[in-house]
Amino acid sequence: MSEKQAQEGQISHSAGTAGRLLLCATPIGNLEDITFRVVRALKEADLIAAEDTRNSIHLLTHYDIHTPMTSYHEFNKYDKADWLVGQMLEGKTVACITDAGTPGISDPGEVLVQKSLEAGIRVSALPGPAACVTALTISGLPTRRFCFEAFLPPDRKERSQILEELKTETRTIVLYEAPHRLKETLAQLRDALGGERQIRLCRELTKIHESVFAGTLEEAVRDTEIHPPRGEYVLVCAGLDRRILIEAGQKSWREMPAEEHVAMYEKQGMDRKEAMKRAAKDRGVSKRDLYAELLKTETN
């Protein structure tokens, strides 16, 4: 492969060498949201592993791509991944695509990547659309720190555990949800996080009927009662205000008697002055106020 080919990401078909896995991001709605590099890679690959060949054929037809396809989905992801790895070990280049978006993000591509790396196969990502990032950027909520939960687990016990963890999550939360489960999920989020928490319901991203609902969780629940959910949704929910979390921690510390709090640190080897400093910080009070509380306890 020449230096120019390497820079441009050209696909090598050199005999006797292992092939490659190319993770090709495809449009999440608008067919124009695809890179020139992905189109070229799909044309030059030996095989395309598609989550649903019936959906992907529309994309391939639109861009005049005639590369053979094979299905690779949730229900065959382990056995088919082994087969695909075998093909790549024989020198073939496999392009993996999901129904929409970036392979490996909440889809079976994750397994194929793991098995390919274990087999020593080179894996390359050809970046492009991802619904979670697209929704986050138009949400108007903080984007510097966020967590991606994809679809909440269907198992009620596991779902409850995740919701419990999200109660104290301070980062912006991004979720996927299908229309027939949206009402139930919003109600559960409201009960877990509080009705006043801000949320964005991003629907049909990049498509003609794209829409974004902005409001509180309580308002979102009411809105879905009026407007029946249609299409795929990305939920972007505000994280817990860190100040609330800090204040809750300070309140918990203040429930402990001041003398007991200071003594706890003294038992750890701190001198009286340092122990008082740490206790005052825990409780969210000044050292002067803590000292006054200690004196009051002593006089009583």
Side-chain angles (χ1 to χ4, degrees), residues 2 12 26 37 45 57 61 75 82 85 108 123 138 149 171 174 178 187 199 211 241 248 251-252 254 257 267-268:
S2 68
S12 172
T26 56
R37 185 184 177 201
I57 191 63
T61 300
F75 303 105
D82 289 333
V85 167
V123 179
I138 64 174
E149 284 291 337
R171 296 171 295 179
V174 184
I199 192 168
S211 66
D241 189 324
K251 181 180 178 182
S252 178
R254 289 196 294 270
K267 289 178 182 178
Q268 295 176 15

Side-chain angles (χ1 to χ4, degrees), residues 73-219:
H73 48 71
E74 182 66 26
F75 303 105
N76 71 355
K77 61 184 179 183
Y78 294 105
D79 292 339
K80 196 58 171 285
D82 289 333
W83 182 82
L84 289 168
V85 167
Q87 295 296 300
M88 288 183 280
L89 288 175
E90 292 178 3
K92 293 183 179 180
T93 293
V94 174
C96 178
I97 60 176
T98 183
D99 279 351
T102 300
I105 302 297
S106 189
D107 84 352
E110 179 182 5
V111 173
L112 182 56
V113 171
Q114 293 170 350
K115 287 182 174 287
S116 297
L117 292 174
E118 289 171 0
I121 293 168
R122 181 181 173 189
V123 179
S124 298
L126 282 60
C132 55
V133 175
T134 302
L136 181 66
T137 56
I138 64 174
S139 69
L141 296 175
T143 60
R144 188 179 71 84
R145 299 173 66 249
F146 66 94
C147 69
F148 176 57
E149 284 291 337
F151 291 93
L152 290 174
D155 180 78
R156 288 189 177 276
K157 183 177 180 180
E158 188 179 357
R159 177 177 282 231
S160 296
Q161 291 173 341
I162 296 295
L163 289 170
E164 188 65 27
E165 292 174 7
L166 292 179
K167 285 183 179 181
T168 55
E169 177 58 69
T170 58
R171 296 171 295 179
T172 300
I173 303 163
V174 184
L175 302 159
Y176 288 162
E177 194 50 277
H180 63 281
R181 289 193 299 263
L182 183 65
K183 290 183 180 180
E184 179 184 8
T185 296
L186 286 175
Q188 291 172 339
L189 286 170
R190 176 199 59 194
D191 295 342
L193 309 181
E196 294 305 308
R197 188 77 67 91
Q198 284 289 315
I199 192 168
R200 307 292 182 258
L201 308 184
C202 304
R203 186 180 73 91
E204 297 290 89
L205 289 170
T206 79
K207 299 178 182 178
I208 295 175
H209 299 294
E210 174 183 286
S211 66
V212 179
F213 171 88
T216 65
L217 273 166
E218 185 61 52
E219 291 168 340

Side-chain angles (χ1 to χ4, degrees), residues 236-265:
V236 185
C237 188
L240 179 65
D241 189 324
R242 291 182 67 85
R243 291 172 297 183
I244 295 176
L245 199 60
I246 292 171
E247 288 171 3
Q250 292 172 342
K251 181 180 178 182
S252 178
W253 278 116
R254 289 196 294 270
E255 292 175 358
M256 178 187 290
E259 184 58 48
E260 184 179 329
H261 196 166
V262 173
M264 179 188 75
Y265 285 123

